[in-house]
Amino acid sequence: MQGWKKWTLRSLVALLGLVLLVLLGAWLFLRASLPQLDGARQGAGLSAEVRIERDASGVPLITGATRLDVAYATGFVHAQERFFQMDLLRRTASGELAELFGPRAVPLDRANRLHRFAARAQATFARLAPAERALLERYAAGVNAGLAALGARPFEYALTGAAQRPWHGADSLLVVWAMYIDLQGMQASRELARGWLREHSDAAQLAFLLPEATAFDTTLDGGAPPAPAPIPERAPAWWGGAPAAADAPVKLAGLDVTDSVGSNNYALAGSRSTNGAAIVADDMHLGLQLPNIWYRLALRFPDPSAPGGQRRLVGVSLPGAPPSVIVGSNGQVAWAFTNSYADAMDLVELGVDAARPGQVKVAGQWETPQEHAESILVKGAPAERMVVRETSLGPIREAGGHSYAVHWIAHDPAALNMQHLQLESSATLDAALATAATDGIPAQNFVAGDAQGNIGWTIAGLLPQRTTAPSATTFPLTTDSATPTWAGALPYTAHPRVVNPANGQLSTANSRQLMGAGYALLGDGGYDLGMRNHQLHDGLAALGAQTDVRRAFDAALDDRAILIGAWRDRALAALDAGALAGHPARAEFRRLLETSWDGRASINSVGYRLARDFLWALHDLLYGGANLALKEVDPKASAAGASARWPAVVARLLDTRPAGWLPPGHADWQALQLAAVDRAIAALQDAGTPLAQATWGQRNTAGVAHPISMAVPALRPWLAAPADQLAGDAHMPRVAGPKFGQSERLVVSPGREEEGLYNMPGGQSGHPLSPFFLTGHGAWVDGKPTPLLPGAARYTLRLHP
């Protein structure tokens, strides 16, 4: 017996030792994959030494003797800190994620492989000017050198069992196409949803349900919205259909919808600033994960056109993209972006005829599509074959029993170029606006200001040159259309502009930009409701004259619940004494609307959450049946996606109460609103949340994590940010959701970058053992700015020839 105990003890000690050795090995491996911060390394092809000086937060100032040397060093730091992120972006565009994540990624790969962006990237790269190709090649050389300099491969590849591939110059173009997918790819689902609504509503009903503008829209040209369409006598047959089976748990659509619209940019003219220079601000809202999509940096290199002969750029870069500052300042001009939601994609229905096998009818003409065989590699499973059939208007997509040609500006040979680099040397607002219009990126609202105090807006990126009114192009087009709705790109000189408005301010927030003639050039690719820009515009106006950078920064943190406050008032009006009698839950709902309300989307507010849930419960009662049908057409299609202006439609109905639009099963419009209150209560009860504990923060809790945690959930505690409760919501400048929000906040006056302010979720590095993994994240949660420029050098790495 004593011998058995002795050997058992020895076995346990040995097992414990083995576990400790495994943990030590894993720790040493992770340590070996950390980037080099100090010392010196050789850099192949450098003309002179390059210095990479990081501050305490890991933000680098990269100083080199030539622009090519700086591009090499930028690739080096991007690869060491963010290579897996870069790889995911190029794989997203090329449809190669299943090679890392297995069969569950195949549907996404099929959707993106349809566009054959890998082949397009190679063709575009070959067309670039020699100097542009050289820059991308030097960046790629730096990326591969940065990878080779790691003591171990990035930890994500050890977890997935995959090998990282070298970076090539054309891969940087794929990263930009990944942004096309992110910023414009949802337009297909939107058109399919609108097509279903068109098929199941008459013209008058459709005009009412899908307004082109509302009173919320505050446009750059100051135009008034058109008069709203009359409310027809009768609703369509689908209106008010049951949102789910009667015995199903109640779950509001608003809990499933990720508010994926939310960027703001704005500028104040020198006449409104304390120093006479323009103030430019940007907070781009995107899906949130670790590491954050943006990588902060400053670049310094000789430039004869810069003051003093040295150019200093500061702002954010996109790891993997052509190596430059995406948003920031060059010392003379600062610039910012938001997604324009211009109409950049059409679905053109194709005709088929059994007598014409292999052919399709495209815009009134029969043609034989080109076929391209694609092989999708799948981790742990055989490769899948996919055949892409491409027409003269674009590749063929099947949806809802129909075939469509996807006519997308992203397929145009001019969709990508290297013109963004010209912003680095733009010395005036006019030069920046001219360059922006030629930029080969997804069409963006470009707001800029210069050191002389001028401000302006234009559309940066490619726009279709349309031949049809915008209202006709937001639905799938019929096969019998005689001509396509656009051909080629709008000339850059025709891009609309607004320069130095009389009120000294410009702002965009994904809503309609123009009411005048310029609107026909842009169309409507899914504009936001307009409340957010309306609130931002009024908040900037309230700043008055002599505004400084800090006050401008705070404008992006405005979380006043103006829109939801109006719906709170409606709920309170419906919850009168008669409605409360015998309904204790309704009485508690009303009490919380009154007592737990501070007029903001604050984390402790129960009233905000209940008022918001009331709005979405109304949405379910009115649009729920349509949403069930739309999911059969496209999993991403929804009534809210068809038009973000649906709250304005519902408000008109509640104000006028037409009998023909009251859904069946409700005695009157108050009864409908009480049913919405009851549904909001039931949703919380079914989720196990007592009303008094249903704070907005409890619902709006951050779930920001490294994407590899989806493949290895056990590692999530080490690969995620804290579960912070977040103030803010959609339809206000401070947009915040569990996995969507302000991916950066930046405010700067060109030429006075030392006063610039910044923060972002997550830190510089994607490595959980890096001291920079979450540096600055807490400041982002709290809305506390940090300096835009890198601080004093804490680490210095020298790359020498």
Side-chain angles (χ1 to χ4, degrees):
M1 180 66 70
Q2 283 187 343
W4 180 84
K5 290 181 179 179
K6 183 186 299 183
W7 281 107
T8 299
L9 181 61
R10 288 177 178 175
S11 298
L12 290 174
V13 170
L15 180 61
L16 178 62
L18 182 61
V19 171
L20 291 175
L21 283 174
V22 170
L23 292 175
L24 177 62
W27 184 82
L28 290 173
F29 175 83
L30 285 172
R31 292 286 302 172
S33 62
L34 284 167
Q36 181 177 353
L37 305 180
D38 285 304
R41 296 195 68 88
Q42 272 196 329
L46 292 176
S47 66
E49 181 181 274
V50 181
R51 293 170 61 92
I52 303 170
E53 299 170 290
R54 288 178 170 91
D55 68 7
S57 297
V59 181
L61 168 62
I62 301 174
T63 304
T66 69
R67 187 65 183 86
L68 290 176
D69 287 354
V70 169
Y72 178 94
T74 303
F76 188 95
V77 298
H78 278 171
Q80 292 221 312
E81 302 272 23
R82 301 285 194 90
F83 183 77
F84 187 69
Q85 172 193 1
M86 298 163 57
D87 194 18
L88 288 186
L89 286 170
R90 70 172 168 180
R91 286 176 178 273
T92 294
S94 59
E96 297 176 324
L97 291 171
E99 192 175 358
L100 292 179
F101 299 112
R104 64 180 175 178
V106 169
L108 180 59
D109 279 353
R110 284 185 171 275
N112 293 339
R113 190 71 71 93
L114 181 74
H115 306 290
R116 303 185 64 249
F117 284 136
R120 297 181 196 278
Q122 293 295 333
T124 299
F125 185 76
R127 289 194 300 268
L128 293 176
E132 295 172 337
R133 284 201 304 273
L135 189 78
L136 292 183
E137 287 168 345
R138 289 306 294 156
Y139 175 74
V143 169
N144 294 323
L147 272 180
L150 294 173
R153 60 180 172 165
F155 75 94
E156 296 95 341
Y157 296 95
L159 294 174
T160 60
Q164 70 267 21
R165 299 193 312 233
W167 197 263
H168 300 284
D171 290 340
S172 290
L173 303 178
L174 282 173
V175 171
V176 183
W177 263 307
M179 297 309 294
Y180 265 101
I181 292 171
D182 191 26
L183 298 173
Q184 296 181 353
M186 71 292 179
Q187 291 188 14
S189 297
R190 177 176 185 265
E191 290 205 4
L192 290 170
R194 292 168 71 88
W196 185 92
L197 291 173
R198 181 177 61 186
E199 292 175 8
H200 295 86
S201 312
D202 65 34
Q205 292 165 345
L206 202 66
F208 166 66
L209 290 166
L210 302 178
E212 293 188 27
T214 73
F216 294 122
D217 286 310
T218 304
T219 55
L220 293 163
D221 57 5
I231 301 176
E233 183 178 349
R234 295 288 174 190
W238 56 263
W239 182 254
D247 58 347
V250 176
K251 190 175 183 182
L252 303 183
L255 300 181
D256 293 329
V257 173
T258 298
D259 292 317
S260 56
V261 180
S263 297
N264 310 310
N265 65 2
Y266 49 100
L268 297 172
S271 59
R272 298 276 304 278
S273 74
T274 55
N275 54 42
I279 299 175
V280 177
D282 193 57
D283 54 288
M284 295 181 284
H285 295 69
L286 293 166
L288 301 179
Q289 62 182 24
L290 296 177
N292 184 42
I293 188 169
W294 309 115
Y295 184 86
R296 293 179 61 190
L297 48 62
L299 307 176
R300 187 166 59 194
F301 51 88
D303 181 354
S305 68
Q310 282 283 320
R311 178 68 65 187
R312 183 183 66 181
L313 304 168
V314 60
V316 297
S317 61
L318 176 60
S324 186
V325 167
I326 304 299
V327 165
S329 179
N330 69 9
Q332 295 169 292
V333 174
W335 61 93
F337 290 120
T338 67
N339 196 17
S340 70
Y341 285 87
D343 187 3
M345 181 191 295
D346 292 338
L347 295 183
V348 183
E349 187 176 353
L350 302 174
V352 294
D353 187 337
R356 294 175 175 267
Q359 289 193 307
V360 292
K361 192 176 184 182
V362 184
Q365 301 294 323
W366 289 95
E367 61 179 66
T368 301
Q370 289 186 323
E371 293 191 352
H372 306 276
E374 300 280 333
S375 179
I376 300 176
L377 300 180
V378 184
K379 178 184 175 183
E384 295 199 10
R385 185 173 184 270
M386 175 182 178
V387 176
V388 176
R389 301 174 67 215
E390 194 153 8
T391 73
S392 58
L393 292 184
I396 298 175
R397 175 187 173 175
E398 309 290 336
H402 300 277
S403 297
Y404 299 98
V406 182
H407 195 202
W408 188 12
I409 198 68
H411 300 150
D412 192 285
L416 266 66
N417 60 38
M418 299 285 284
Q419 284 296 104
H420 189 85
L421 293 166
Q422 301 303 314
L423 287 173
E424 295 182 354
S425 57
S426 295
T428 65
L429 173 70
D430 284 344
L433 293 174
T435 293
T438 70
D439 205 348
I441 58 174
Q444 299 288 290
N445 289 306
F446 178 86
V447 167
D450 64 23
Q452 288 70 46
N454 301 297
I455 60 174
W457 163 88
T458 192
I459 294 293
L462 214 61
L463 288 171
Q465 182 161 347
R466 292 199 170 274
T467 57
T468 307
S471 58
T473 63
T474 59
F475 301 92
L477 301 167
T478 65
T479 184
D480 293 325
S481 175
T483 58
T485 58
W486 58 271
L490 184 72
Y492 298 130
T493 54
H495 283 215
R497 281 190 185 189
V498 176
V499 176
N500 289 332
N503 63 359
Q505 69 178 58
L506 291 166
S507 65
T508 78
N510 310 124
S511 52
R512 181 167 170 164
Q513 307 95 331
L514 302 168
M515 288 293 175
Y519 172 65
L521 301 176
L522 307 181
D524 181 353
Y527 290 134
D528 199 10
L529 174 65
M531 182 66 222
R532 179 159 41 91
N533 190 47
H534 180 85
Q535 190 165 326
L536 179 61
H537 174 275
D538 289 353
L540 293 173
L543 294 177
Q546 301 301 299
T547 299
D548 59 18
V549 166
R550 177 54 196 267
R551 294 179 68 205
F553 182 93
D554 289 344
L557 300 173
D558 180 4
D559 60 4
R560 290 175 297 145
I562 297 175
L563 179 74
I564 297 300
W567 289 95
R568 170 181 175 265
D569 293 342
R570 292 182 185 277
L572 287 171
L575 289 166
D576 58 20
L580 302 184
H583 293 278
R586 289 181 184 175
E588 176 72 349
F589 194 97
R590 181 184 175 96
R591 184 186 70 80
L592 292 167
L593 282 177
E594 292 176 322
T595 61
S596 183
W597 174 264
D598 60 4
R600 296 180 177 275
S602 53
I603 60 174
N604 294 319
S605 176
V606 176
Y608 179 83
R609 181 175 180 181
L610 297 185
R612 184 187 193 272
D613 284 0
F614 168 69
L615 170 61
W616 277 98
L618 278 169
H619 169 275
D620 289 358
L621 294 174
L622 299 175
Y623 294 94
N627 280 331
L628 290 177
L630 286 170
K631 296 304 178 190
E632 299 298 318
V633 177
D634 183 288
K636 296 182 179 179
S638 68
S643 175
R645 302 182 179 108
W646 67 266
V649 172
V650 177
R652 286 188 67 197
L653 291 174
L654 293 179
D655 289 340
T656 56
R657 305 193 170 199
W661 286 78
L662 181 67
H666 304 282
D668 55 31
W669 287 93
Q670 184 188 16
L672 173 70
Q673 293 177 82
L674 293 177
V677 169
D678 293 341
R679 182 174 178 80
I681 293 170
L684 290 170
Q685 290 174 339
D686 287 354
T689 305
L691 285 184
Q693 297 176 23
T695 64
W696 178 238
Q698 191 262 351
R699 157 69 175 85
N700 208 41
T701 299
V704 183
H706 194 294
I708 205 69
S709 66
M710 293 185 292
V712 191
L715 295 180
R716 187 179 177 88
W718 294 276
L719 292 173
D724 300 297
Q725 295 190 354
L726 302 176
D729 191 16
H731 306 310
M732 58 187 63
R734 189 172 188 170
V735 174
K739 296 182 180 180
F740 184 88
Q742 292 174 313
S743 61
E744 49 82 47
R745 302 182 184 117
L746 182 155
V747 183
V748 64
S749 285
R752 306 177 71 93
E753 286 75 19
E754 289 75 10
E755 301 171 5
L757 300 174
Y758 184 85
N759 62 26
M760 72 181 188
Q764 287 287 95
S765 176
H767 197 300
L769 294 187
S770 168
F772 315 133
F773 184 56
L774 287 174
T775 302
H777 179 78
W780 172 83
V781 172
D782 296 335
K784 296 178 180 178
T786 56
L788 173 62
L789 281 177
R794 180 74 64 89
Y795 314 90
T796 301
L797 176 64
R798 295 176 175 84
L799 303 180
H800 57 83

